[in-house]
């Protein structure tokens, strides 16, 4: 499978290689791969069994667990960008910040919320899981940024961006 076409998964069927506007499939749950509901309504435990890796295109794992090395410079497998023999396409300072991915559900690095195995949402106020900031038992507190983990602002207003 060539991942050059689109490394973003289709929001309808979850497969890599096309986008939602080109998809003919019925919408499937991103957790169990069954029709009729979405991941947030899925009653099965969170799993990566049916998820497709954005790195290699295989199912059963996500990019953060992928054993296949992919070069960010030439997009080929088998080596990483610092070992790439092709001319560097991106200066190190500009690509390192833009390629950083973090989850808005748990605040963890290298995955998105749809791939998150954390069952509950993370509270913006106290930083614990299982409730939202509007329901925080500690009351309204200082916001915690998911990007830099500092207090006083949220990710969209982060000065590190």
């Amino acid at each position: 499978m060539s991942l050059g076409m689109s490394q973003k998964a289709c929001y309808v069927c979850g497969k890599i290689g096309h986008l939602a506007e080109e998809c003919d499939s019925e919408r499937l749950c991103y957790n169990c791969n069954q029709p009729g509901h979405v991941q947030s309504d899925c009653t099965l435990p969170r799993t990566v069994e049916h998820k497709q890796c954005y790195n290699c295109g295989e199912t059963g794992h996500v990019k953060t667990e992928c054993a296949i090395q992919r070069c960010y410079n030439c997009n080929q497998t088998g080596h990483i960008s610092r070992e790439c023999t092709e001319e560097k396409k991106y200066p190190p300072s500009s690509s390192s910040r833009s390629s950083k991915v973090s989850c808005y559900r748990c605040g963890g690095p290298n995955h998105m919320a749809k791939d998150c195995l954390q069952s509950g949402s993370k509270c913006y106020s106290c930083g614990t899981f299982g409730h939202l900031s509007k329901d925080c038992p500690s009351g309204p507190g200082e916001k915690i940024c998911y990007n830099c983990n500092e207090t006083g602002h949220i990710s969209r207003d982060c000065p590190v961006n």
Side-chain angles (χ1 to χ4, degrees), residues 128-145:
T128 61
F129 292 96
H131 64 274
L132 301 176
S133 58
K134 66 180 181 150
D135 303 319
C136 186
S138 302
E142 214 170 0
K143 305 286 185 217
I144 301 170
C145 176

Side-chain angles (χ1 to χ4, degrees), residues 31-119:
N31 186 51
C32 69
N33 212 31
Q34 297 299 311
H37 65 280
V38 293
Q39 178 176 293
S40 59
D41 298 328
C42 189
T43 57
L44 297 175
R46 296 228 183 235
T47 177
V48 294
E49 180 182 352
H50 300 287
K51 294 189 178 172
Q52 188 172 27
C53 175
Y54 295 152
N55 186 47
C56 70
E58 298 295 321
T59 56
H61 66 277
V62 291
K63 184 177 180 179
T64 57
E65 300 167 350
C66 189
I68 296 176
Q69 293 180 325
R70 180 171 296 277
C71 176
Y72 291 119
N73 187 51
C74 69
N75 204 31
Q76 298 300 311
T77 58
H79 67 278
I80 55 177
S81 59
R82 74 171 173 236
E83 299 164 351
C84 189
T85 57
E86 291 190 21
E87 182 180 336
K88 300 293 182 215
K89 295 181 180 152
Y90 307 103
S93 59
S94 66
S95 65
S96 62
R97 175 52 66 195
S98 63
S99 65
K100 182 180 178 188
V101 175
S102 64
C103 175
Y104 69 82
R105 173 176 287 156
C106 73
N110 303 323
H111 69 279
M112 293 182 273
K114 65 183 178 183
D115 298 325
C116 188
L117 299 177
Q118 185 64 245
S119 59

